[in-house]
Amino acid sequence: MNSKKTITFGKIGATLGKPASEAPVETSTSGFGTFGKKREENNVKKMDEIKPEDEEETRSMQKMMGITGFGKKAKSFDVQEMMENITKTINSNKAAAIEKGNLDEIAETKEDKVSDDDDDDDDDDDDDDADDDFIGPPIPSSASVTSERAKDSNEEKKKKKKKDKSDDDDESSDNEEEEEEEEMTLRDKIPCSHEVSMTHGTKAVIAIAADPSGARLASGSIDYDVCFWDFAGMDTSMKSFRTLQPCENHPIKCLQYSTTGDVILVISGSAQAKVLDRDGFEKCETVKGDQYITDMARTKGHTASLNSGCWHPFTKEEYMTCSQDSTCRIWNLYRPRAHKNLIKCRAQNGVKTVPTTCAYSREGAAVACGCIDGSIQMWDHRKNFVNPSLVLRSAHAQSSEISSLSFSYLGQMLASRACDDTLKLWDLRAFKTPIFEARGLFSRYDTTDCMFSPDDSMIVTGESLNKGQTTGRVLFYDCKTFELIREIPVTNSHVIKTLWHPKLNQVFVGCGNGIVKVYYDPKRSMRGAKLCVVKTHMKQKHIEIMSTQQIITPHALPLFRQDRPKSVRKQMEKDRLDPVKSRRPDLPITSGQGGRVASSGGTLSSYVIRNLGLSKRIEDDQDPREAILKYAKIAEEEPYWIAPAYKKTQPKTIFQNDEQDSGPSNKKQKT
């Protein structure tokens, strides 16, 4: 137990002077050697050489077992065959060169080769260099000639390619200039060659929204209705597939689909915003705040009617609303019982001011509000919403609502539309003075909007009817030159809402007479209204119904009583019980059920009579008295049963007389 184990770090042997036979043979170890004694190697077998006889046996066994087909076989190269093929090709090339008359070139090449060989015999270094440079069989002269010709042709091709490239560059530059000349002007980019009208109602359409995919359109009006339009399911009649009143008796001020298109935000004149799904069913409703609390931060919701709302461009569950209570509130779709963030809008003197419109920037980093005092205020979404990051107090005239704020798709420009009959374009990098202003654009409704075209080259807005005008117009302005590119006369009413869908490349216009106009180009527009125009409207067959006046008689007899009109379900259940109306088949016959009898009869007498084989058929449904009276005359003339029996004892029949009815009866009365 107490034996000590020695640790050795290898052995150093002084075997330098001894012969190799005397030196012990040890395995080379790396590092510090081995720890402890060297273990004996057990179960070590020596490798025997494989004999060719054994290989033949294994091959035969593999052929018998069919194992030789598995796996891939390595390729084998025969060097002699390859050399023979090379010499054959060289000889064939020489013969071809002789036939073509290139003998002089071959001789020159031979002389060059001989001189080269003499020089090589004199100088060994040159020979070594030549051997290093030249590997393999000699190159035939024809191949060298063809290679020189190929080089020349390649150089010529390169020169031609350079010329072609230069020519192509010149042509491409010319083509680009021609394309710029032939490129569509901004006027031609507007898809307005065809138009379709969709009737919402009779009141003004002040809200329009289209989902991001362009499959559906929603329109809201002053008549409290929201109409849903499905372009894939409509025909030329252009009828909406659903109309509802989500906010009861409140006008619909704003509609907007979410970024995913599965829900739609509805902003009405009430203090509560609603979120509906694609089919119009309510998903959530914001809570209403306490209107007796002066500090709006203490309430969980709006206390006055809403003005506008919009979705966050990237966060699909976040949306924003602004109200007459001088606040803007940011909500979470899945937590409608309280707002997420609160923004208080203040005027220059610190008094509350009402935000009339709100918008997110394209990146969602900024929140912009247009207030009734004519100011545009912006907050950074990444910070708290205490102080605005950008404020422009005199953006529009005071006491005139800013009806719309629209950010450009690149995010550097901002367009604002107000009820002071102006449209202004702002540069956010120099947010002090507008870079463009259009005046004289009458706006009757506080929801008249403006927006950028999908390529940020134009600004679109609508114009209401002023005194003396007969048609409302849609106006298109150039963002660079600020010129009026085109104006489209729409209807004889106001133009309130405009929407240029970037995916469909179609322009939707909401008018003051309850009509939604769709402008498109068959070549440049996609789907949308193009799907509806192709489908023909199938008229339904009208069924002529004679109107009869119904007389209500509650106390009439059952024979003359009229059934009251029942519901369809009850009428179907009643008709199901009627065997005639339900066309019930005949039930299987059992004796005496359902008023029908079997072929043998329902009673014992009929069974006996029918089985006796009488000539005359006896019917069970016949009255027995009538059946007996049929034979009364025959019984009197030719008696068969009773008269012959009493012929001897009582030849004359004696019947009882009823003369004693008047007198007392002979019967004893009971005492």
Side-chain angles (χ1 to χ4, degrees):
M1 296 296 291
N2 296 327
S3 61
K4 296 181 181 179
K5 294 183 179 180
T6 59
I7 300 174
T8 59
F9 292 87
K11 292 180 181 181
I12 301 171
T15 58
L16 299 174
K18 296 181 181 180
S21 60
E22 296 179 1
V25 179
E26 293 182 359
T27 57
S28 63
T29 57
S30 62
F32 294 102
T34 58
F35 290 92
K37 294 181 180 180
K38 187 177 181 182
R39 295 180 182 178
E40 294 182 357
E41 295 181 355
N42 297 324
N43 298 325
V44 178
K45 294 181 180 180
K46 294 181 179 180
M47 296 295 293
D48 297 331
E49 293 184 359
I50 300 173
K51 298 178 180 180
E53 298 176 356
D54 298 335
E55 286 185 356
E56 291 180 359
E57 289 181 0
T58 54
R59 287 176 184 173
S60 62
M61 287 296 291
Q62 287 177 358
K63 288 181 180 179
M64 291 291 292
M65 298 297 290
I67 305 173
T68 56
F70 294 102
K72 293 183 179 179
K73 189 177 180 181
K75 293 182 179 180
S76 61
F77 299 96
D78 193 353
V79 181
Q80 292 181 357
E81 290 182 0
M82 294 172 68
M83 292 298 292
E84 290 177 358
N85 293 327
I86 291 168
T87 53
K88 286 180 182 179
T89 53
I90 290 169
N91 294 326
S92 62
N93 290 329
K94 284 182 180 180
I98 290 167
E99 289 177 358
K100 290 179 181 178
N102 294 327
L103 293 172
D104 297 333
E105 294 179 357
I106 293 169
E108 289 175 0
T109 54
K110 283 183 178 180
E111 289 175 359
D112 294 334
K113 284 182 182 179
V114 170
S115 63
D116 291 335
D117 290 333
D118 295 334
D119 295 334
D120 292 337
D121 292 332
D122 296 332
D123 298 326
D124 293 334
D125 296 334
D126 297 335
D127 190 11
D128 295 335
D129 296 333
D131 291 334
D132 292 334
D133 296 333
F134 186 81
I135 299 171
I139 301 171
S141 59
S142 60
S144 64
V145 172
T146 53
S147 64
E148 289 176 358
R149 291 178 180 176
K151 287 180 181 179
D152 297 333
S153 62
N154 289 329
E155 290 177 357
E156 291 176 359
K157 286 181 181 179
K158 287 180 181 179
K159 292 179 180 179
K160 287 182 180 179
K161 284 182 180 180
K162 289 181 181 178
K163 290 180 180 179
D164 294 334
K165 284 183 180 179
S166 60
D167 295 333
D168 292 333
D169 294 332
D170 297 332
E171 290 176 1
S172 62
S173 60
D174 296 333
N175 291 330
E176 287 176 358
E177 293 175 358
E178 291 176 0
E179 284 175 1
E180 289 177 357
E181 294 176 357
E182 294 177 359
E183 189 181 3
M184 292 183 301
T185 60
L186 294 179
R187 183 181 177 86
D188 296 331
K189 284 185 179 180
I190 302 171
C192 59
S193 60
H194 294 68
E195 67 176 44
V196 177
S197 297
M198 299 187 296
T199 304
H200 174 95
T202 57
K203 301 291 182 69
V205 179
I206 58 175
I208 283 179
D211 64 343
S213 63
R216 288 192 177 180
L217 179 77
S219 59
S221 174
I222 298 177
D223 58 0
Y224 324 134
D225 290 339
V226 174
C227 292
F228 289 93
W229 315 79
D230 189 5
F231 294 111
M234 282 193 300
D235 51 12
T236 52
S237 62
M238 305 298 286
K239 292 183 179 179
S240 62
F241 74 93
R242 183 158 296 159
T243 303
L244 50 95
Q245 292 184 357
C247 302
E248 297 178 352
N249 298 328
H250 294 284
I252 309 300
K253 291 186 176 181
C254 181
L255 295 171
Q256 188 178 9
Y257 276 93
S258 64
T259 55
T260 55
D262 54 347
V263 289
I264 182 172
L265 177 64
V266 179
I267 303 296
S268 64
S270 66
Q272 295 171 281
K274 288 189 177 183
V275 178
L276 310 179
D277 61 359
R278 287 178 64 84
D279 296 325
F281 298 103
E282 183 178 330
K283 291 205 71 173
C284 76
E285 182 181 13
T286 60
V287 68
K288 187 176 181 180
D290 191 353
Q291 55 189 354
Y292 296 103
I293 298 176
T294 56
D295 188 3
M296 289 294 103
R298 302 285 183 180
T299 60
K300 296 181 180 180
H302 290 291
T303 58
S305 64
L306 301 174
N307 290 328
S308 180
C310 58
W311 287 95
H312 193 277
F314 296 113
T315 308
K316 64 178 182 179
E317 66 270 5
E318 182 181 327
Y319 59 94
M320 178 174 55
T321 57
C322 62
S323 171
Q324 291 283 343
D325 59 1
S326 304
T327 62
C328 244
R329 297 176 192 262
I330 297 175
W331 304 83
N332 192 340
L333 176 62
Y334 304 109
R335 294 178 182 176
R337 304 306 302 171
H339 61 262
K340 183 180 176 182
N341 291 308
L342 175 71
I343 302 172
K344 293 181 180 180
C345 298
R346 301 283 184 182
Q348 191 170 5
N349 55 0
V351 184
K352 293 180 180 179
T353 182
V354 177
T356 56
T357 183
C358 58
Y360 279 102
S361 63
R362 295 291 177 179
E363 297 84 9
V367 175
C369 290
C371 301
I372 199 169
D373 62 344
S375 65
I376 297 176
Q377 304 179 19
M378 293 187 191
W379 289 265
D380 192 349
H381 192 276
R382 296 163 292 186
K383 301 178 182 178
N384 54 4
F385 299 96
V386 177
N387 297 319
S389 58
L390 284 175
V391 178
L392 187 62
R393 295 293 177 185
S394 59
H396 289 275
Q398 288 189 356
S399 68
S400 64
E401 295 91 347
I402 297 177
S403 58
S404 177
L405 290 176
S406 177
F407 285 88
S408 64
Y409 286 91
L410 295 177
Q412 298 174 355
M413 311 295 285
L414 176 68
S416 62
R417 181 81 161 91
C419 291
D420 58 354
D421 302 344
T422 60
L423 169 68
K424 294 184 180 182
L425 182 64
W426 309 85
D427 190 351
L428 297 178
R429 294 164 293 187
F431 194 57
K432 290 184 178 180
T433 56
I435 58 176
F436 166 62
E437 182 178 358
R439 295 182 176 275
L441 305 178
F442 177 62
S443 175
R444 182 179 177 184
Y445 293 89
D446 57 354
T447 59
T448 304
D449 65 347
C450 61
M451 69 173 301
F452 285 87
S453 62
D455 57 353
D456 283 342
S457 60
M458 289 174 280
I459 305 174
V460 189
T461 187
E463 184 185 18
S464 301
L465 280 181
N466 208 345
K467 290 183 180 179
Q469 294 181 350
T470 56
T471 56
R473 300 178 300 168
V474 178
L475 305 174
F476 297 86
Y477 289 94
D478 190 356
C479 289
K480 295 180 180 179
T481 60
F482 313 120
E483 296 177 356
L484 180 62
I485 301 170
R486 190 164 195 164
E487 57 179 26
I488 302 174
V490 184
T491 53
N492 54 356
S493 183
H494 311 284
V495 175
I496 306 167
K497 280 287 184 179
T498 55
L499 175 63
W500 192 334
H501 199 281
K503 193 169 185 180
L504 301 181
N505 195 20
Q506 298 178 8
V507 180
F508 302 94
V509 180
C511 305
N513 54 1
I515 293 176
V516 179
K517 286 269 189 174
V518 185
Y519 292 92
Y520 67 96
D521 191 345
K523 296 180 180 178
R524 299 183 181 90
S525 300
M526 295 175 60
R527 299 194 302 274
K530 290 173 64 179
L531 301 175
C532 311
V533 177
V534 179
K535 296 180 181 178
T536 57
H537 177 58
M538 300 296 292
K539 293 183 179 180
Q540 296 180 353
K541 295 181 180 179
H542 297 284
I543 302 172
E544 295 182 359
I545 300 173
M546 298 295 292
S547 62
T548 57
Q549 188 176 3
Q550 185 180 5
I551 300 172
I552 301 172
T553 54
H555 301 290
L557 294 173
L559 181 63
F560 304 103
R561 188 177 298 167
Q562 293 181 358
D563 293 333
R564 292 182 181 179
K566 299 180 180 179
S567 63
V568 178
R569 184 179 179 82
K570 290 184 178 179
Q571 188 66 31
M572 288 176 64
E573 290 178 354
K574 187 178 179 182
D575 294 344
R576 183 64 179 165
L577 297 176
D578 190 358
V580 178
K581 291 184 178 180
S582 64
R583 298 179 181 179
R584 187 182 68 184
D586 293 337
L587 299 175
I589 298 173
T590 56
S591 59
Q593 287 187 1
R596 300 171 64 202
V597 294
S599 61
S600 60
T603 60
L604 179 62
S605 60
S606 63
Y607 175 76
V608 172
I609 291 170
R610 289 183 181 180
N611 289 333
L612 287 176
L614 298 176
S615 61
K616 293 183 179 180
R617 186 176 181 84
I618 298 173
E619 296 178 358
D620 294 332
D621 298 335
Q622 191 177 3
D623 190 4
R625 185 172 180 276
E626 294 179 359
I628 293 172
L629 290 176
K630 286 181 183 180
Y631 302 99
K633 187 177 180 180
I634 299 172
E636 289 180 357
E637 294 177 357
E638 298 178 357
Y640 183 76
W641 296 103
I642 300 173
Y646 294 95
K647 191 174 182 179
K648 292 182 180 180
T649 58
Q650 192 178 350
K652 188 177 181 181
T653 57
I654 298 171
F655 298 99
Q656 184 180 359
N657 295 324
D658 295 334
E659 294 175 357
Q660 298 178 358
D661 294 339
S662 60
S665 61
N666 294 329
K667 294 182 179 179
K668 294 180 180 181
Q669 295 181 354
K670 293 182 180 180
T671 56

